[in-house]
Amino acid sequence: MSKIVVVGAVAGGATVASQIRRLDKESEIIVFEKDRDMSFANCALPYYIGNVVTSRELVLEATPEQFYDSKQIKVKPYHEVTAVNTTENRINVYDRKAKQSYSVEYDKLILSPGCSANQLNLNSSISFTLRNMEDTDAIYQFIEDHHVQNALIIGAGYISLEVLDNLYERNIQPTLIHRSEHVNKLMDSDMNQPIFEEMDKRDISYYLNEEVIKVDGNDIHFKSGEVKKFDLIIEGVGVQPNSAFLQSSKIQLDAHGYIPVNDKFQTNISNVYALGDIITSHYRHVDFPAHVPLAWGAHRGASIIAEQIAGNNNIQFKGYLGSNIVKFFDYTFASVGVSPSELTHFNYKMVEVYQNDHAGYYPNNHKLHLCVYFDSNNRQILRAAAVGKSGVDKRIDVLSMAMMHQSTIDDLTDFEVAYAPPYSRPKDIINMIGYKARNL
């Protein structure tokens, strides 16, 4: 029997602890979480704030008591790991409630501390970030207590877009401000135009190449000199890894503070593993490093770590494809593969098609826009991106599977679509990408 210590109790940490217990009924497993809650559905937070998800219990999936009763795993909230000594296999823990520190030994250590939201230091009681359940509860309660009518969303990543969408659904008038013109950076810039069209359609104001420089009560001062009043500010300006506690350890960090791992999710220390938003790894379909802080990778990492610890040395991580998707009002934006900025490292060509998502004569038809990038030398797919009102997820998932098996752009002509008029066309948009690429 060994002692397994996990740092972090959200998606990666709670899942890896649970997966280890599934395979190992004997070992002692302790999970330390510096915040209040464990095992909450992080992706559900904007939808709960918008009252789309109406029950808080649906978001908070487990409590420490429930986790122990069902799995005999100890979860200690408000316990922050402050240092790691890999020579002595020992961690230092600070009990935030008791305000005292102590040390814990381990045989295996698993790091899933996640990231923290960047803040603009606005020093304002109306400004919030959204990263965990405590943030969510604070925002929700503030909206209720102050009868919020309008809100300023700072930043234009997919979390900010989801928050804006959901506040609007709650009848709170949102405004978007972003310091550049490039919103939703996981998508190609020219595919993001529907974001602005959807905001225009709903009379939602947005400011590009603009910044907040000061908050005075409810008066928000912009860099341009304009002053606007808002009841609420949500900051969505990126994240930083929670790795400061590792600076004094022998665990390797990259220049940005993330933890590189191998295909077993091991760090440079063999009995220390890491997973979730904190790690860097590699892509599956190309030889290129990858940082993909999304839910699928955390859950896949949890399964592989558990099997490795249980003795299955054959199972290894094959890499990320970077699949991602976001809903913004009536549109869906999704992509898979290397990011737009990473394309510059490859010699590539691009082919794009606009086509109805199903047979033109069938009702409720909508245009799909699909772009696929492929290597000019071996013609393997590097990246795909799609935007539309329906059918986007289906096409990106198909292309993800194609990339998983090193398919070329020409292989897409052989994709056999499940065709009926409500669902597709005899030659699907994926087929058309393949046919069009034959001319390149």
Side-chain angles (χ1 to χ4, degrees):
M1 185 179 79
S2 60
K3 186 172 185 177
I4 300 167
V5 170
V6 181
V7 180
V10 191
T15 304
V16 74
S18 181
Q19 289 294 315
I20 293 170
R21 177 59 78 222
R22 178 177 62 85
L23 300 172
D24 178 353
K25 307 299 183 185
E26 302 299 326
S27 290
E28 180 183 2
I29 305 173
I30 305 176
V31 185
F32 293 103
E33 170 56 52
K34 71 174 182 176
D35 293 328
R36 184 191 68 191
D37 302 294
M38 66 162 294
S39 194
F40 57 87
N42 202 289
C43 297
L45 302 185
Y47 299 95
Y48 175 65
I49 289 174
N51 283 336
V52 175
V53 176
T54 57
S55 171
R56 188 177 182 278
E57 285 68 33
L58 293 174
V59 180
L60 192 59
E61 297 178 354
T63 66
E65 294 77 18
Q66 291 168 338
F67 216 60
Y68 185 79
D69 289 344
S70 61
K71 304 175 188 296
Q72 288 71 58
I73 296 172
K74 298 175 185 175
V75 178
K76 294 182 174 293
Y78 291 124
H79 281 64
E80 181 176 3
V81 176
T82 56
V84 176
N85 185 329
T86 55
T87 302
E88 298 179 1
N89 289 339
R90 182 184 298 275
I91 62 170
N92 290 342
V93 181
Y94 178 67
D95 183 335
R96 294 172 59 192
K97 283 192 170 182
K99 296 184 179 180
Q100 62 183 19
S101 298
Y102 61 96
S103 65
V104 176
E105 293 183 343
Y106 63 84
D107 295 305
K108 304 284 186 183
L109 177 64
I110 303 169
L111 303 172
S112 185
C115 296
S116 295
N118 291 332
Q119 294 181 283
L120 297 174
N121 297 318
L122 299 177
N123 297 316
S124 170
S125 62
I126 70 169
S127 186
F128 298 84
T129 57
L130 179 61
R131 193 65 185 167
N132 57 26
M133 278 300 298
E134 292 177 79
D135 296 337
T136 305
D137 289 337
I139 294 169
Y140 198 100
Q141 196 62 49
F142 186 89
I143 291 172
E144 294 284 304
D145 292 345
H146 296 270
H147 308 289
V148 169
Q149 300 296 309
N150 59 36
L152 179 66
I153 315 301
I154 304 177
Y158 60 88
I159 297 297
S160 293
L161 296 177
E162 288 177 340
V163 168
L164 188 151
D165 183 329
N166 281 279
L167 288 178
Y168 185 88
E169 291 294 327
R170 193 168 170 169
N171 295 318
I172 295 172
Q173 185 63 31
T175 295
L176 181 73
I177 182 172
H178 189 49
R179 64 181 179 179
S180 75
E181 294 182 353
H182 190 187
V183 303
N184 192 23
K185 65 180 181 180
L186 292 178
M187 287 292 290
D188 307 45
S189 294
D190 61 348
M191 299 182 79
N192 280 324
Q193 184 56 34
I195 291 174
F196 304 110
E197 294 172 1
E198 290 294 282
M199 289 193 289
D200 289 338
K201 187 164 64 176
R202 294 165 176 83
D203 294 322
I204 296 173
S205 299
Y206 52 90
Y207 297 83
L208 304 179
N209 297 314
E210 184 65 286
E211 298 180 49
V212 173
I213 59 169
K214 185 175 71 171
V215 178
D216 184 8
N218 292 93
D219 292 333
I220 317 301
H221 296 253
F222 292 173
K223 188 177 181 180
S224 63
E226 191 168 356
V227 180
K228 293 280 187 178
K229 284 187 177 292
F230 291 97
D231 300 329
L232 171 69
I233 301 172
I234 305 291
E235 301 178 36
V237 291
V239 299
Q240 55 186 325
N242 293 327
S243 58
F245 72 102
L246 298 173
Q247 294 288 348
S248 61
S249 75
K250 295 180 180 179
I251 297 168
Q252 180 185 347
L253 303 175
D254 70 11
H256 302 287
Y258 293 98
I259 306 172
V261 297
N262 63 17
D263 289 344
K264 299 178 182 180
F265 287 89
Q266 288 172 310
T267 67
N268 60 304
I269 309 296
S270 61
N271 68 333
V272 180
Y273 299 78
L275 75 162
D277 295 3
I278 196 73
I279 70 165
T280 61
S281 182
H282 59 85
Y283 283 109
R284 176 173 182 145
H285 62 304
V286 292
D287 184 17
F288 201 75
H291 175 235
V292 183
L294 298 172
W296 178 85
H299 286 271
R300 186 67 187 126
S303 178
I304 289 174
I305 291 171
E307 293 211 31
Q308 285 285 339
I309 289 176
N312 181 4
N313 294 318
N314 294 321
I315 187 167
Q316 295 189 7
F317 186 53
K318 297 180 180 178
Y320 293 103
L321 288 170
S323 299
N324 65 90
I325 191 166
V326 64
K327 169 194 173 296
F328 190 68
F329 295 111
D330 294 337
Y331 276 84
T332 300
F333 301 80
S335 68
V336 60
V338 301
S339 69
S341 61
E342 291 168 338
L343 279 169
T344 57
H345 296 274
F346 300 89
N347 179 20
Y348 68 89
K349 294 178 180 178
M350 186 270 281
V351 59
E352 65 181 330
V353 173
Y354 295 84
Q355 181 175 290
N356 290 337
D357 60 354
H358 57 255
Y361 51 79
Y362 192 85
N364 299 318
N365 223 326
H366 301 289
K367 286 288 185 185
L368 261 175
H369 180 192
L370 177 60
C371 290
V372 178
Y373 299 79
F374 62 97
D375 190 296
S376 299
N377 301 316
N378 60 23
R379 298 180 70 82
Q380 286 187 351
I381 301 168
L382 300 171
R383 168 179 171 81
V387 59
K389 291 186 175 182
S390 63
V392 170
D393 55 338
K394 169 182 175 178
R395 272 67 181 201
I396 290 298
D397 286 344
V398 167
L399 289 168
S400 176
M401 183 63 75
M403 293 163 65
M404 177 178 164
H405 292 284
Q406 304 294 321
S407 295
T408 67
I409 192 78
D410 307 293
D411 291 331
L412 300 185
T413 58
D414 289 323
F415 164 59
E416 186 174 348
V417 63
Y419 166 65
Y423 303 106
S424 185
R425 296 162 60 103
K427 281 195 293 188
D428 188 73
I429 191 171
I430 291 176
N431 298 132
M432 296 308 299
I433 287 284
Y435 284 117
K436 192 171 181 179
R438 291 166 70 99
N439 298 323
L440 298 178

